[in-house]
Amino acid sequence: MSISIKTPEEIEKMRIAGRLAGEVLDYIAPFVQPGVTTNELDKLCHDYMVDMQGCIPAPLNYAPGGHTPYPKSICTSINHQVCHGVPSEKKLKSGDIVNLDITTIKDGFHGDTSRMYYVGEPSIQAKRLCEKTYEAMWHGIRQVRAGAHLGDIGHAIQTFAEGLGYSVVREFCGHGIGRKFHEEPQVLHYGKAGTGVKLEAGMIFTIEPMINAGKKDIKQLGDGWSIVTKDHSLSAQWEHTILVTDTGYEVLTLADDESLEHMPLLP
Ligand code: MF3
Ligand code: CO
Ligand code: CO
């Protein structure tokens, strides 16, 4: 297996799928309020994707090797949940931070993106972690261009995050994406500059760092999906789907309003 180089026609379809995924994150923002359940957010996003966008929510029944099929249409990871939080009847409360991760399938191609949302007023520490994780993602994105190495991305993210006293989750990484949800390569969010695969124009992959306020260690909950920090420290994540170009990168999952009401657009 190798890393696919997308054709111009495939890239155009990835632009459409990516933009639609970003638009779901815009759509759901005003609903992320104290008292809403993550099941309600899941249903709203599901219906928007299916009825308004004509998309398939990729997580629903997704069952990569060894996993039970994922039961919902989005991932909702609250506070110390790192990723793959499964929506439930639990109500969000003021002060929570929550990552909503959306993956659309349109015309056979995937778009994958996630953001952090504040529920009511966040603590200073929670807000800082969300903002710095957003910056960490952009430090990674800015490394992308034909001729750069995958290790450049991980190195940029790791040095920035660890320089602030945060830690980088190791067990989950960015991924190639296209007709399949998860393709080669694995995009680590830590590593050494100048190492790893050399990037070529037409590659498409996600960058989605998970940054913990405490230690990097994680564990999986009994639902077989939700990942939490072992030390219960807060964790944040942002994700974009990125096309490698000759001169740099194109972010395929930008929508109109990446700067959320409470979240300044930093770069
Ligand atoms: N969207 C996640 C990612 O960024 C994967 C979620 S898999 C699911 O790779 F089954 F939990 F939805
Ligand atoms: Co992803
Ligand atoms: Co995702």
Side-chain angles (χ1 to χ4, degrees):
M1 275 296 290
S2 60
I3 304 169
S4 73
I5 304 297
K6 268 71 177 178
T7 65
E9 294 74 27
E10 291 171 329
I11 289 169
E12 195 45 44
K13 291 181 178 179
M14 288 296 288
R15 284 194 181 102
I16 293 166
R19 170 147 189 108
L20 290 166
E23 286 176 0
V24 180
L25 292 178
D26 280 358
Y27 159 75
I28 200 65
F31 297 99
V32 183
Q33 298 290 345
V36 75
T37 68
T38 46
N39 267 348
E40 288 166 345
L41 298 178
D42 177 70
K43 167 107 171 77
L44 286 163
C45 289
H46 172 96
D47 291 352
Y48 190 79
M49 285 186 263
V50 172
D51 300 334
M52 306 298 288
Q53 297 183 323
C55 288
I56 298 167
L60 190 57
N61 298 316
Y62 184 59
H67 274 282
T68 51
Y70 189 79
K72 301 285 175 173
S73 296
I74 70 171
C75 297
T76 56
S77 304
I78 308 164
N79 295 336
H80 71 295
Q81 294 185 331
V82 173
C83 64
H84 305 167
V86 180
S88 73
E89 286 304 309
K90 196 180 156 84
K91 283 187 165 77
L92 295 177
K93 58 179 194 314
S94 186
D96 285 345
I97 56 170
V98 59
N99 174 280
L100 303 183
D101 192 337
I102 302 291
T103 311
T104 53
I105 308 173
K106 181 73 171 180
D107 207 2
F109 288 83
H110 291 72
D112 191 7
T113 182
S114 81
R115 293 183 195 161
M116 297 304 297
Y117 297 81
Y118 302 143
V119 184
E121 266 313 304
S123 69
I124 288 165
Q125 294 89 329
K127 186 164 184 274
R128 179 172 158 83
L129 177 67
C130 292
E131 290 178 357
K132 293 301 171 189
T133 303
Y134 183 70
E135 286 185 61
M137 173 187 67
W138 277 100
H139 279 294
I141 291 172
R142 286 197 205 95
Q143 300 302 315
V144 174
R145 61 178 164 76
H149 293 261
L150 269 185
D152 300 344
I153 298 169
H155 179 75
I157 292 169
Q158 181 179 19
T159 51
F160 177 74
E162 291 182 352
L164 296 165
Y166 295 144
S167 61
V168 177
V169 171
R170 303 294 203 268
E171 288 83 350
F172 297 90
C173 54
H175 49 92
I177 182 166
R179 283 193 182 277
K180 282 174 57 192
F181 196 161
H182 294 100
E183 302 182 351
E184 286 188 52
Q186 295 196 11
V187 182
L188 304 183
H189 303 116
Y190 59 94
K192 234 178 127 201
T195 66
V197 167
K198 208 176 193 181
L199 303 184
E200 291 174 42
M203 290 179 177
I204 298 181
F205 50 77
T206 69
I207 297 178
E208 49 178 302
M210 285 139 276
I211 306 293
N212 298 346
K215 297 209 174 79
K216 66 181 186 323
D217 310 78
I218 56 151
K219 61 182 186 197
Q220 193 182 82
L221 295 185
D223 63 14
W225 279 102
S226 307
I227 304 295
V228 299
T229 55
K230 230 180 200 166
D231 63 7
H232 257 245
S233 63
L234 286 178
S235 187
Q237 179 179 30
W238 293 76
E239 173 175 26
H240 272 309
T241 299
I242 309 293
L243 166 69
V244 182
T245 68
D246 284 321
T247 51
Y249 57 84
E250 182 179 328
V251 180
L252 301 182
T253 36
L254 286 174
D256 291 333
D257 188 23
E258 178 161 317
S259 74
L260 305 175
E261 202 179 329
H262 308 288
M263 180 73 69
L265 189 61
L266 293 159

